[in-house]
Amino acid sequence: MVLTPQNERFVLHFGEMGSRWGVNRTVGQIYALLFLAPEPLHADDIAETLGFSRSNVSLGLKELQSWRLVKLIHQVGDRRDYFETPKDVWEIFRTLMEEKRKREIEPTLTLLRDTLLEAPSGPNDAYAQQRMTEMLELIELSTGWFDEVQRLPPETLQTLMKMGSKVQKVLGFAGKLRGKG
């Protein structure tokens, strides 16, 4: 696959962003290339296009598979493994959020719950536990909300997102109605 200047900018950007999202530059670039590719690619295609070693590509593909962001495809008459990203961007978004939750949020919730089971040993611990309780409540509230939102069909979710601040206005109006009733 030959990258156009526009596609090359996208791939390079994803590489730079990868480090901010918790994956290395190589993984970000591999993902971006697969995302843009109209057909599944095999590791040799990826290595040649991006100028990476075959071993770096293999490691990157394993990382992307562990995140469930690429799918392994086999083609009749070809023993090589091909890879592609899901075609539905909403599926990609949901998968990424599920994986981030599993890797980052769930361990934090476990730590907070376990820590809050311990009795505070003094006023500083009591204050710290109060702060941790607030954090736990916020994370549980937001993950519960995310669970509800994630069950919405993509069309509904898109409409909700496009509404933006209008939702706040509707909720404010509803609150005023409840206050008068």
Side-chain angles (χ1 to χ4, degrees):
M1 180 174 173
V2 177
L3 291 176
T4 65
Q6 179 184 32
N7 290 351
E8 185 175 326
R9 279 194 315 273
F10 181 82
V11 168
L12 290 172
H13 176 75
F14 253 73
E16 297 306 315
M17 292 307 297
S19 63
R20 295 182 180 124
W21 296 332
V23 297
N24 69 37
R25 182 175 53 86
T26 302
V27 172
Q29 289 182 5
I30 292 169
Y31 181 79
L33 177 66
L34 290 169
F35 181 82
L36 295 176
E39 301 293 328
L41 300 175
H42 57 80
D44 293 332
D45 286 338
I46 297 166
E48 183 180 324
T49 302
L50 297 177
F52 296 156
S53 71
R54 179 71 166 74
S55 61
N56 260 356
V57 171
S58 289
L59 289 172
L61 289 169
K62 282 186 172 88
E63 175 79 7
L64 289 167
Q65 285 178 294
S66 78
W67 280 85
R68 298 182 303 133
L69 291 172
V70 297
K71 296 177 183 177
L72 174 65
I73 306 292
H74 290 107
Q75 296 187 358
V76 176
D78 194 335
R79 293 180 17 199
R80 296 175 292 189
D81 293 337
Y82 286 77
F83 299 89
E84 68 179 0
T85 63
K87 299 300 180 202
D88 181 5
V89 293
W90 289 101
E91 180 184 344
I92 294 168
F93 176 74
R94 284 186 168 135
T95 300
L96 186 58
M97 293 299 103
E98 287 169 10
E99 288 296 322
K100 296 284 276 177
R101 179 179 180 168
K102 181 172 67 176
R103 295 164 189 253
E104 298 170 16
I105 296 171
E106 293 300 331
T108 302
L109 286 171
T110 300
L111 172 91
L112 288 169
R113 289 175 183 136
D114 290 349
T115 302
L116 291 171
L117 290 175
E118 300 171 18
S121 63
N124 287 346
D125 272 353
Y127 176 77
Q129 280 197 345
Q130 177 56 40
R131 299 290 291 163
M132 285 187 261
T133 299
E134 292 168 5
M135 182 179 286
L136 176 63
E137 290 169 353
L138 175 63
I139 294 172
E140 287 177 335
L141 181 65
S142 62
T143 55
W145 176 81
F146 182 74
D147 290 343
E148 293 295 321
V149 168
Q150 195 170 9
R151 287 191 274 277
L152 296 173
E155 305 78 34
T156 304
L157 184 55
Q158 192 170 11
T159 301
L160 180 63
M161 292 172 91
K162 285 180 180 178
M163 289 176 70
S165 64
K166 294 175 189 166
V167 171
Q168 182 180 356
K169 291 177 185 172
V170 168
L171 292 174
F173 180 72
K176 288 178 184 177
L177 287 178
R178 276 195 304 268
K180 291 179 180 177

